[in-house]
Amino acid sequence: MTTSAGRVPQVQMLSPDGVFEVPSEYAHYGKYIEKLTLDDFLKFYRDMARIRRFDNECTALQRQGQMGLWVPAVGQEAAQIGSGYAVGKNDHMFPSYREHGVAITHGIDLMSIIKMMRGVNHGGWNPEETRFHLYAIVLGTQVLHAAGYAMGVNFDGNVGTGDPEVDQAVITYFGDGATAEGDVSEALLFAAVNKSPLVFFCQNNQWAISSPVSAQTVVPLYLRGEGFGVPGIQVDGNDVLACYAVTAKHMDDARNGLGPSLIEALTYRVGAHTTSDDPSKYRPQEETDYWIARDPITRFEKFLRRQGVGDEFFQEVAQAGDDLATQIREATFAMPNPPLENIFKHVYTDPHPLVQEQQAWLENYESSFEEDSK
Amino acid sequence: MSLAVFNLPDVGEGLTEAEIVSWKVAAGDQVSVNQVICEIETAKSIVELPCPFAGTIEKLFAKEGDTVLVGTPIISVQAEGNILVAGPATSSIPIITESDTMHEAVADVASSVASDETKPNLVGYGSAGHGATRRKRSGAVAAASLASSIPTATSAVPSALSGDVIAKPPIRKLAKDLNVDLSKVVSTGPAGEITREDVVNAATQASVFRNLTTPAIPSEREERIPVKGVRKAIATAMVQSAFTAPHVSIFVDVDATRTMEYVKRLKASTDFAGVKVTPLLLMAKAMMWAVRRNPTVNSTWTDKEIIVHNFVNFGVAAATPRGLIVPNIKDADQMSMLELARQLELLAATAREGKTTPEDMKDGTITITNIGVFGVDTGTPILNPGQVAIVALGSIRPKPWVVNNEIVIRQVTTIGATFDHRVVDGDVASRFVQDVASVIEEPALLLD
């Protein structure tokens, strides 16, 4: 609920100046931070910086004709890295198409994301092994997939046993724009009535392409689940520690059989919706500047420096970023075209005459080009 | 050191060109990887282009304000160290060590671009049809495989997508369904847009065979066209026919409503899926039925004897770009409805493509001419030499008709026929035409 002052109560642990403080009413979240070590903090920073560098290089590669499309996540690193590290080893993640940060917290090869955006595969990781499911391009569908998966976890009885080797939770990522899709409402209802172990993680980056969040909802999004019976909480999405703690708590609750919950991480999409978008056409630069000043990586750097972390570490991270950029750059430029047959490979399990006919036609068509017959 | 060329990439999804808004670098400048070299404006947005290479800029290929096609070189860099050669997936960045050959390559690209027609890209998605990066195909094989496999690709109405036409998507769909070229439709909408009515009118006009435009009066007072080829053959045949066989023509109006319903039902039936069903098919069947009842109309006059054919080689007059020809379907009387429909379709397609052989036109025994497709009611056809009957099918359209002393709207047509009076007497001619008409009025008679 909004307070009398009209402000939404929001879980924040790091001030924009990097001062760590847990308000007493959020002590149940704060205890998750107590378990972290400095090494964990450094890991959070490294990954946020790494994904930012990766993101910027991918935008450049798209502009150089190396990818059909790129979907930048700049500004949302804290929400993604913080929540990603709160996902346990049995849990499953159902992402949208912007969750590069969550992907690296679970070992997804960054090149496989590039391959997808270059159009050489449809997502090159195995969700069974990584528990990180494929990017959903259609808005909001992954939320229903997650609701279904979480129902399955319930049916398997892998909830509330008290055995950390058995208990399982599911988290799904979606944006403010997706909340206006029927899918999200349906998923909230199914998760609530089935008391599914599902955490709805909404990154409210405030823009659904060119539609502002005010065109998507009247009540704050963290309240969207209340009517369905899914309690919600808003977290400062540019505060990596708050995002980690709140997600960890709600994933624990889900594993322990307490049912679904909704986390709204309030953040900002600093970049374009995709490389095909030009945000200067619909939003003022001052708004973007306001959020750049609240950058999640800068804030966490201030925190780390207060912890005594010095220049040497930050220089090492910057160098690692440049090395990564060179590496993915070279790998992207050198990437071969996949064989034609891949298009047809997974359409049907068994051979299908129509697909075979189409494949034969395409092979014949492609072989009719002079320059490629070399 | 080697020379690397950066071609304008597609920075959106399916963009084909962009305008260079401003250059941030000049020839001779040092650039680093990802340094912004220019700002470009596409149909969607203004974006900055980062340089893929580090080194010294050799040349800028476009000026500010120039519109450049995707895939065209915009900058060349004397690159330092290990330059990245583009993978084949999207754009290609040619690397050439000799600058002379580079310029040739650029000239090639430029000339291939110049020959391509440019059209404005309406919304930024989808190609406007530029060929700058189009791959070369190896002639005949490609063309043949394309033609046989995807006929719809060539029969689509391309101008429905052109940027000059204002029309809502459902209207574009309607135009496509009715095979109306939107660029040729006169628009009457308040904002100059094409309305549903405009498309329907255009489709109706197109269905009537008439000249849609009046050409300017030629400057010469006369034009002399040599009489040769098909025209000469037509003339000889017509004269021979008209001046050797005494022609007699008779006509009958007929209610073709049931025929039209029959055609509609056949079209919808799964057995006839993919086969063209037209009133001409019913007419052919009706003639075959009437021939069996009046065999003398299916014969040949030889001065010494009359040869009555107990088979039907069914001739169909076809207007082709080269003139009128009359190919025939051999032993058409032995064919099922489905087989006959296929043969009619094949005959028309062959004639349209100009591939009708002399064999196809030999030994016809009776002919139909479908002048109804040109929108006229009837005519007095001239016999095909060697035959004694020809039937003309007029247009079928709603007309007032008297049923049970009341005027109702029925689909009405006129059947006209010409006979060689040496062979066919008036009573046989009349019975034959009435038999044909009765089938058109009641196709169930074919079940007889």
Side-chain angles (χ1 to χ4, degrees):
Chain A
M1 291 297 131
T2 49
T3 62
S4 53
R7 279 200 58 231
V8 166
Q10 188 189 66
V11 182
Q12 190 192 70
M13 296 181 178
L14 285 179
S15 75
D17 291 328
V19 179
F20 179 77
E21 190 196 341
V22 181
S24 56
E25 71 260 41
Y26 297 135
H28 54 297
Y29 294 125
K31 67 180 189 192
Y32 283 89
I33 303 297
E34 289 162 18
K35 293 178 197 160
L36 297 177
T37 65
L38 181 63
D39 277 351
D40 290 319
F41 295 152
L42 296 181
K43 182 176 69 178
F44 286 2
Y45 182 88
R46 267 198 206 96
D47 276 354
M48 287 200 290
R50 186 164 157 239
I51 207 67
R52 169 80 54 95
R53 187 69 186 82
F54 168 74
D55 211 315
N56 288 333
E57 194 62 26
C58 286
T59 297
L61 284 168
Q62 198 281 337
R63 294 288 182 242
Q64 291 160 359
Q66 293 300 313
M67 266 187 273
L69 184 74
W70 182 248
V71 189
V74 173
Q76 300 176 221
E77 291 87 353
Q80 298 194 358
I81 301 292
S83 65
Y85 274 119
V87 174
K89 64 183 163 85
N90 290 337
D91 304 335
H92 277 250
M93 295 150 275
F94 289 79
S96 171
Y97 45 70
R98 204 186 296 278
E99 272 66 77
H100 320 314
V102 184
I104 59 165
T105 62
H106 289 271
I108 301 300
D109 177 8
L110 290 175
M111 284 312 292
S112 51
I113 300 176
I114 291 181
K115 282 178 189 164
M116 180 177 175
M117 298 297 174
R118 189 178 166 96
V120 304
N121 72 20
H122 293 157
W125 56 89
N126 181 352
E128 278 301 312
E129 288 166 8
T130 60
R131 295 168 292 104
F132 183 75
H133 289 251
L134 295 181
Y135 275 4
I137 304 296
V138 179
L139 215 58
T141 53
Q142 76 281 10
V143 185
L144 281 170
H145 304 159
Y149 198 93
M151 282 170 73
V153 171
N154 250 349
F155 294 146
D156 287 343
N158 296 340
V159 173
T161 67
D163 181 352
E165 294 303 313
V166 171
D167 288 343
Q168 229 182 333
V170 179
I171 185 169
T172 179
Y173 290 86
F174 54 100
D176 44 300
T179 63
E181 298 274 334
D183 306 43
V184 172
S185 291
E186 291 164 25
L188 283 165
L189 179 64
F190 267 79
V193 297
N194 290 287
K195 214 175 177 191
S196 303
L198 175 57
V199 173
F200 294 86
F201 195 93
C202 174
Q203 291 170 80
N204 177 357
N205 71 16
Q206 313 203 29
W207 287 94
I209 312 188
S210 58
S211 296
V213 71
S214 60
Q216 314 288 334
T217 188
V218 174
V219 299
L221 287 173
Y222 78 99
L223 295 176
R224 176 61 65 86
E226 297 281 356
F228 295 98
V230 178
I233 181 88
Q234 192 185 72
V235 59
D236 181 342
N238 285 8
D239 175 346
V240 68
L241 295 183
C243 288
Y244 172 80
V246 170
T247 311
K249 165 80 168 81
H250 288 276
M251 291 296 276
D252 262 358
D253 288 352
R255 275 183 227 109
N256 292 333
L258 300 182
S261 56
L262 167 67
I263 301 170
E264 177 193 1
L266 190 72
T267 179
Y268 191 76
R269 193 194 76 209
V270 171
H273 170 71
T274 68
T275 45
S276 293
D277 171 47
D278 177 4
S280 69
K281 283 183 176 170
Y282 52 79
R283 66 184 191 191
Q285 185 58 39
E286 300 84 72
E287 182 188 298
T288 313
D289 291 343
Y290 173 90
W291 284 95
I292 288 173
R294 278 149 191 77
D295 186 83
I297 301 181
T298 315
R299 190 193 304 195
F300 202 53
E301 181 182 336
K302 285 177 185 164
F303 166 76
L304 289 180
R305 287 189 186 275
R306 284 174 189 278
Q307 305 290 309
V309 177
D311 288 341
E312 198 185 331
F313 169 76
F314 295 105
Q315 281 160 9
E316 172 215 310
V317 171
Q319 183 57 47
D322 289 344
D323 293 348
L324 171 77
T326 309
Q327 197 188 323
I328 63 155
R329 195 173 177 74
E330 285 174 356
T332 303
F333 271 77
M335 197 182 286
N337 276 344
L340 274 186
E341 71 214 42
N342 282 11
I343 300 173
F344 305 95
K345 229 178 208 170
H346 303 296
V347 180
Y348 286 94
T349 315
D350 300 319
H352 189 286
L354 181 63
V355 173
Q356 284 168 340
E357 188 189 316
Q358 291 177 346
Q359 182 173 353
W361 182 88
L362 185 62
E363 276 162 7
N364 180 40
Y365 176 75
E366 284 294 330
S367 65
S368 70
F369 291 101
E370 287 170 350
E371 24 193 314
D372 293 343
S373 51
K374 60 196 165 195
Chain B
M1 297 280 272
S2 52
L3 194 64
V5 179
F6 181 33
N7 296 337
L8 181 70
D10 172 10
V11 295
E13 292 162 81
L15 297 175
T16 56
E17 62 183 24
E19 183 190 324
I20 308 280
V21 175
S22 62
W23 281 107
K24 307 292 183 196
V25 292
D29 285 1
Q30 286 290 119
V31 280
S32 55
V33 168
N34 290 349
Q35 181 182 334
V36 172
I37 49 172
C38 63
E39 230 179 18
I40 61 169
E41 181 164 17
T42 69
K44 311 190 94 175
S45 58
I46 293 185
V47 298
E48 294 177 329
L49 284 191
C51 189
F53 325 108
T56 310
I57 295 172
E58 198 236 15
K59 188 177 174 185
L60 309 181
F61 289 95
K63 296 191 299 293
E64 289 180 359
D66 284 358
T67 296
V68 181
L69 295 185
V70 167
T72 321
I74 54 170
I75 189 170
S76 60
V77 176
Q78 282 292 350
E80 292 159 359
N82 190 19
I83 43 170
L84 300 166
V85 181
T90 47
S91 82
S92 56
I93 302 184
I95 307 295
I96 297 135
T97 43
E98 291 283 322
S99 59
D100 289 348
T101 47
M102 212 277 302
H103 292 307
E104 279 169 29
V106 171
D108 278 355
V109 172
S111 65
S112 76
V113 167
S115 66
D116 272 301
E117 193 185 346
T118 54
K119 282 180 188 158
N121 200 4
L122 195 61
V123 288
Y125 277 90
S127 168
H130 297 311
T133 55
R134 194 175 294 153
R135 294 180 291 170
K136 278 205 183 94
R137 307 198 58 196
S138 50
V141 185
S145 71
L146 255 183
S148 64
S149 308
I150 42 164
T152 49
T154 47
S155 62
V157 184
S159 53
L161 293 170
S162 104
D164 302 322
V165 169
I166 309 173
K168 291 173 188 165
I171 305 302
R172 289 176 188 270
K173 167 79 165 60
L174 178 71
K176 202 176 163 203
D177 291 347
L178 296 176
N179 213 19
V180 169
D181 181 348
L182 279 179
S183 70
K184 298 204 168 85
V185 173
V186 179
S187 62
T188 61
E193 77 272 23
I194 293 170
T195 65
R196 176 171 294 273
E197 210 173 17
D198 296 338
V199 172
V200 173
N201 283 345
T204 317
Q205 276 191 349
S207 74
V208 176
F209 187 81
R210 65 181 186 86
N211 294 320
L212 294 176
T213 54
T214 307
I217 297 167
S219 51
E220 296 90 16
R221 287 179 68 80
E222 290 171 332
E223 185 186 3
R224 284 162 192 262
I225 301 166
V227 176
K228 57 181 186 185
V230 175
R231 177 58 51 201
K232 193 169 186 176
I234 292 171
T236 311
M238 289 296 168
V239 170
Q240 187 204 341
S241 175
F243 291 98
T244 52
H247 283 53
V248 59
S249 295
I250 55 175
F251 309 96
V252 61
D253 285 345
V254 54
D255 174 4
T257 308
R258 288 204 179 91
T259 285
M260 297 310 274
E261 283 165 5
Y262 192 96
V263 165
K264 204 168 145 193
R265 280 203 296 274
L266 275 191
K267 274 182 183 167
S269 84
T270 47
D271 287 353
F272 281 76
V275 183
K276 200 174 172 195
V277 181
T278 64
L280 181 68
L281 174 63
L282 259 283
M283 193 66 188
K285 269 287 175 194
M287 281 172 63
M288 241 82 78
W289 186 79
V291 162
R292 226 169 58 229
R293 294 163 70 107
N294 309 278
T296 47
V297 301
N298 188 47
S299 56
T300 301
W301 170 272
T302 67
D303 284 333
K304 287 181 222 104
E305 53 186 355
I306 295 166
I307 307 166
V308 180
H309 309 295
N310 293 324
F311 58 89
V312 180
N313 286 349
F314 189 76
V316 181
T320 72
R322 291 161 56 228
L324 177 79
I325 59 169
V326 189
N328 60 72
I329 298 170
K330 306 281 191 282
D331 294 319
D333 55 322
Q334 302 297 315
M335 289 178 184
S336 68
M337 185 78 89
L338 181 61
E339 205 177 347
L340 189 60
R342 288 210 179 101
Q343 289 300 325
L344 282 170
E345 199 179 346
L346 179 67
L347 175 143
T350 311
R352 258 199 315 275
E353 289 164 20
K355 289 184 180 154
T356 305
T357 62
E359 182 59 31
D360 292 334
M361 295 187 277
K362 243 173 71 183
D363 301 329
T365 60
I366 192 165
T367 295
I368 185 163
T369 174
N370 187 8
I371 55 179
V373 294
F374 305 134
V376 297
D377 289 339
T378 193
T380 54
I382 290 179
L383 292 164
N384 222 19
Q387 300 173 18
V388 300
I390 180 166
V391 176
L393 176 61
S395 66
I396 304 173
R397 56 175 133 218
K399 278 184 183 171
W401 194 256
V402 177
V403 179
N404 296 333
N405 281 329
E406 278 186 42
I407 295 173
V408 294
I409 297 171
R410 305 291 284 178
Q411 298 287 334
V412 176
T413 187
T414 303
I415 296 169
T418 297
F419 301 91
D420 184 339
H421 221 334
R422 293 172 299 184
V423 181
V424 185
D425 296 334
D427 61 332
V428 175
S430 304
R431 268 203 296 273
F432 172 75
V433 172
Q434 283 294 357
D435 281 342
V436 172
S438 61
V439 172
I440 294 304
E441 200 158 83
E442 183 45 86
L445 287 175
L446 288 177
L447 296 173
D448 167 25

